[in-house]
Amino acid sequence: MVPNEFSNLTADVDVQFTLKQVTRKQSNRRSWGTRDRMKRSSRGGVDAIDTSRNLNIWICNIGGGILGYAQFPGGSASTDGVVISPQYFGTQGYVSAPFDKGRTATHEVGHWLNLRHIWGDGGCSVDDYVSDTPVSSTPNYGCPSYPTQHCNSNDMTMNYMDYVDDSCMYMFTTGQKNRMRALFASGGYRSAFAQ
Ligand code: ARG
Ligand code: ZN
Ligand code: CA
C-alpha cells in the first residue's frame, strides 16, 4: 500500500506496448556484460529492430549480479533499448526471487523513458529532475518499512525507480509520468511511437 503521504501522487503512466517480434539465438557466451555486445549480430548478439518506433528488449545473462540496464533517450539508435538478465525477466520459469515479478523491466523502461533513480544517484542535494519525488541520498534495498528517511523527508521507497525487491515497488508519480510522456509529444525524442 502506498502511504497516505504519497497516495495523491500515484499515476497511471498510460503507455502500452504490443509484442512485435521475438528473435531467439543460440550462444555459448555465459555473460554478456554491459557494453552492448548483445545488440550486435557481429558480436554474437541480435541487431535492434527500428528503434525509432520499437522498444527493443534483449534478454541475456549480463553477469556480475546486474539485473538489467537501459539506454537513456538521446543515445545511439543502434543500441537503443533495455537489457535484462533472464533470471529477472517476467514472472514465470527461470526467474529468481525476490526479483521475479517483472519489475526489472518496469524499472529499466523507466530509464529508457528518461527517468533517473529516485535518489538522483547522489546526495541530498542531487535531484532526479522530478519535482514530486522526495529527495534521497542512497538507494533502498529489500523491503523497507515506512517511514524510511535519508534526507529531510521520507523516502518514496515503493517507487519503481528505487532498488527495492519487486514486490515492494508499486508506483510512479505524476511528475515521473509527465517526464516520460513528454518524449512521445510532438518534438519529443520518442515522438515516432505516438503515430
Ligand atoms: N539495478 C538495476 C538498475 O539500476 C535494476 C534494479 C531493478 N530492481 C528490481 N527490484 N527489479 O537498472
Ligand atoms: Zn536503474
Ligand atoms: Ca525529486
Side-chain angles (χ1 to χ4, degrees):
M1 260 256 296
V2 175
N4 269 334
E5 175 187 7
F6 304 135
S7 60
N8 64 328
L9 300 175
T10 62
D12 177 352
V13 174
D14 196 18
V15 170
Q16 285 169 285
F17 297 96
T18 310
L19 184 62
K20 180 182 177 108
Q21 187 180 316
V22 178
T23 307
R24 306 186 81 214
K25 186 167 182 177
Q26 198 280 331
S27 172
N28 293 331
R29 182 175 287 285
R30 287 166 176 269
S31 61
W32 289 81
T34 53
R35 295 178 50 188
D36 295 338
R37 246 186 316 224
M38 71 293 287
K39 303 176 182 177
R40 304 189 196 284
S41 56
S42 62
R43 309 290 300 271
V46 179
D47 291 331
I49 300 169
D50 182 8
T51 52
S52 71
R53 309 180 58 99
N54 300 284
L55 163 58
N56 284 251
I57 305 180
W58 287 268
I59 310 300
C60 58
N61 189 47
I62 298 168
I66 296 168
L67 282 60
Y69 75 94
Q71 182 169 302
F72 285 101
S76 152
S78 65
T79 52
D80 193 43
V82 309
V83 184
I84 300 173
S85 288
Q87 315 81 298
Y88 314 117
F89 184 72
T91 59
Q92 289 176 354
Y94 186 65
V95 284
S96 176
F99 304 111
D100 55 350
K101 307 256 182 288
R103 294 316 184 194
T104 302
T106 310
H107 178 107
E108 299 309 332
V109 173
H111 285 313
W112 179 78
L113 291 175
N114 215 17
L115 296 188
R116 306 294 157 141
H117 290 134
I118 187 128
W119 70 99
D121 296 302
C124 291
S125 62
V126 181
D127 196 14
D128 63 351
Y129 310 114
V130 175
S131 58
D132 62 1
T133 53
V135 75
S136 186
S137 55
T138 185
N140 292 289
Y141 296 94
C143 200
S145 58
Y146 174 83
T148 290
Q149 195 174 113
H150 290 102
C151 301
N152 286 322
S153 54
N154 294 329
D155 284 8
M156 192 184 277
T157 64
M158 62 293 303
N159 193 281
Y160 293 122
M161 300 316 288
D162 207 326
Y163 267 3
V164 296
D165 293 349
D166 278 16
S167 59
C168 300
M169 46 170 61
Y170 34 82
M171 70 175 285
F172 284 123
T173 66
T174 301
Q176 288 175 315
K177 170 182 182 165
N178 293 342
R179 185 171 169 85
M180 289 190 266
R181 295 195 61 86
L183 296 167
F184 299 120
S186 129
Y189 187 78
R190 301 197 187 284
S191 59
F193 279 78
Q195 255 100 94

